[in-house]
Amino acid sequence: ENRPIPEPGPNEVLLRMHSVGICGSDVHYWQHGRIGDFVVKDPMVLGHEASGTVVKVGSGVTHLKPGDRVAIEPGVPREMDEFCKTGRYNLSPTIFFCATPPDDGNLCRYYKHSASYCYKLPDNVTFEEGALIEPLSVGIHACKRAGVTLGSKVFVSGSGPIGLVNVLVAKMMGAAAVVITDLSASRLQKAKEVGADFTIQVKNETPQEVASKVESLLGCMPEITVECTGVQACIQAGIYATRSGGTLVLVGLGPEMVTVPIVNAAVREVDIRGIFRYCNTWPVAIALLASKRINVKPLVTHRFPLEKALEAFETTKRGEGVKVMLKCDPTDHNP
């Protein structure tokens, strides 16, 4: 609250923040102080699913002006390396990324960011929708990497926010049928609301039993599986479930070492692909939201003012609802 308002550099903009979603990774850093090799060593501002209003622009910024409402892409390359040259800037090893140590996030009143990674929101796209472009981008990137297309049969493992955006995007990209699994009945109900065709509440089935349930509901094995939990048993089920010659995309992050039936995947030519965040997705997401081709509004189940951030984080930690949204601008009461 008492930090000085930052001054934007020549290619930056200063934003008054509006909506910031809480991500599982924010909670993980808060609780455990690290994710893999990313370790919190100094105090760090959380938040990377965000939108706000431009209040000041740097001398070199021409595409934005004060008053513009923008969505923020949190990953900004620091140098033009080989990954940037090939359009895969998310893989740049020196990338700046909000709320990944040691980089501060944007859960604050005022925040400055590279102007090139702030995208103007059309009038019919709300600040909340703008903040949800970040998780939506994970779904866009994952479904593109998976090759979802007209008529695809898709299995999504895990019905948290990332599982749900993958359902939304897979259906948008032409999937004929999507089946989704989770432990929680309420999350599966939400998946139905956003367009899942079939749901499976997993209790204590073996991975092979889960795979066989997926096949019987779809009437065939899915060509594409999107794994959003990172849990070993779920990755195993993903391999067993995917049709020979199909693709399994690993989105969820779990333990570094996982035991999986790799020979089963190899002899059936199941491609296993990873994703790391996203790239080149904000313009696509904005176009989908503006044209009302995709509706992310049902994902937001809780809203808190910035002053109640701790309560918001506790709510997310308990796994209540789906997406918890923080409101950073006390003068604005619109979503």
Side-chain angles (χ1 to χ4, degrees):
E1 280 295 303
N2 301 319
R3 290 160 26 136
I5 294 177
E7 194 61 32
N11 299 310
E12 294 178 325
V13 291
L14 175 66
L15 304 163
R16 182 170 178 82
M17 299 306 298
H18 190 288
S19 296
V20 181
I22 299 178
C23 170
S25 69
D26 292 321
V27 174
H28 203 86
Y29 281 127
W30 168 49
Q31 288 295 301
H32 304 286
R34 69 181 298 157
I35 295 178
D37 295 335
F38 298 106
V39 183
V40 181
K41 296 187 173 131
D42 299 298
M44 179 179 82
V45 178
L46 291 169
H48 59 266
E49 307 177 357
S51 63
T53 305
V54 176
V55 290
K56 203 171 197 180
V57 300
S59 55
V61 178
T62 54
H63 73 289
L64 292 171
K65 62 184 188 307
D68 284 346
R69 303 159 59 253
V70 297
I72 299 165
E73 179 171 0
V76 180
R78 286 186 167 95
E79 55 184 315
M80 178 54 75
D81 60 15
E82 63 202 283
F83 297 105
C84 294
K85 287 176 187 171
T86 55
R88 300 181 74 175
Y89 55 87
N90 57 313
L91 302 178
S92 174
T94 58
I95 196 166
F96 165 91
F97 198 89
C98 292
T100 296
D103 303 330
D104 278 332
N106 42 33
L107 182 49
C108 48
R109 297 265 187 238
Y110 289 95
Y111 171 73
K112 69 172 181 178
H113 198 68
S114 166
S116 302
Y117 292 80
C118 293
Y119 299 82
K120 194 172 173 189
L121 291 172
D123 293 342
N124 68 341
V125 177
T126 66
F127 281 115
E128 258 185 21
E129 288 175 294
L132 288 167
I133 290 173
E134 197 278 343
L136 180 60
S137 286
V138 177
I140 294 170
H141 192 55
C143 287
K144 278 185 173 174
R145 292 268 295 152
V148 178
T149 187
L150 277 176
S152 297
K153 304 281 202 321
V154 179
F155 166 32
V156 176
S157 170
S159 189
I162 296 301
L164 297 175
V165 293
N166 273 285
V167 171
L168 281 168
V169 175
K171 295 294 283 192
M172 177 69 233
M173 288 172 74
V178 177
V179 60
I180 189 166
T181 53
D182 203 88
L183 299 168
S184 155
S186 62
R187 290 205 156 183
L188 290 172
Q189 183 52 43
K190 184 61 83 169
K192 275 278 206 212
E193 280 174 44
V194 303
D197 299 280
F198 307 103
T199 60
I200 299 171
Q201 188 174 5
V202 179
K203 296 200 165 65
N204 42 20
E205 294 86 345
T206 65
Q208 287 96 330
E209 285 167 346
V210 171
S212 131
K213 283 191 171 185
V214 168
E215 181 179 5
S216 65
L217 279 176
L218 287 173
C220 61
M221 293 170 83
E223 301 102 318
I224 288 161
T225 298
V226 185
E227 208 300 299
C228 302
T229 71
V231 174
Q232 176 171 288
C234 298
I235 299 171
Q236 292 171 353
I239 289 176
Y240 291 130
T242 308
R243 182 184 306 183
S244 298
T247 304
L248 165 66
V249 175
L250 301 177
V251 182
L253 299 176
E256 187 180 358
M257 287 294 177
V258 179
T259 305
V260 293
I262 201 77
V263 175
N264 176 291
V267 298
R268 297 193 302 109
E269 296 193 5
V270 171
D271 292 350
I272 300 175
R273 301 188 129 193
I275 71 153
F276 186 60
R277 300 171 179 158
Y278 32 67
C279 56
N280 306 301
T281 53
W282 258 252
V284 175
I286 289 170
L288 288 170
L289 292 169
S291 62
K292 305 298 176 197
R293 299 297 298 279
I294 220 164
N295 180 15
V296 291
K297 288 177 180 173
L299 298 179
V300 181
T301 52
H302 294 73
R303 295 174 179 87
F304 293 89
L306 186 56
E307 296 76 18
K308 294 192 176 171
L310 187 57
E311 201 179 319
F313 271 80
E314 295 282 4
T315 304
T316 309
K317 184 183 155 198
R318 288 193 299 269
E320 290 176 26
V322 180
K323 180 56 68 179
V324 176
M325 194 64 70
L326 279 153
K327 300 298 188 182
C328 301
D329 186 347
T331 62
D332 189 298
H333 304 291
N334 298 314

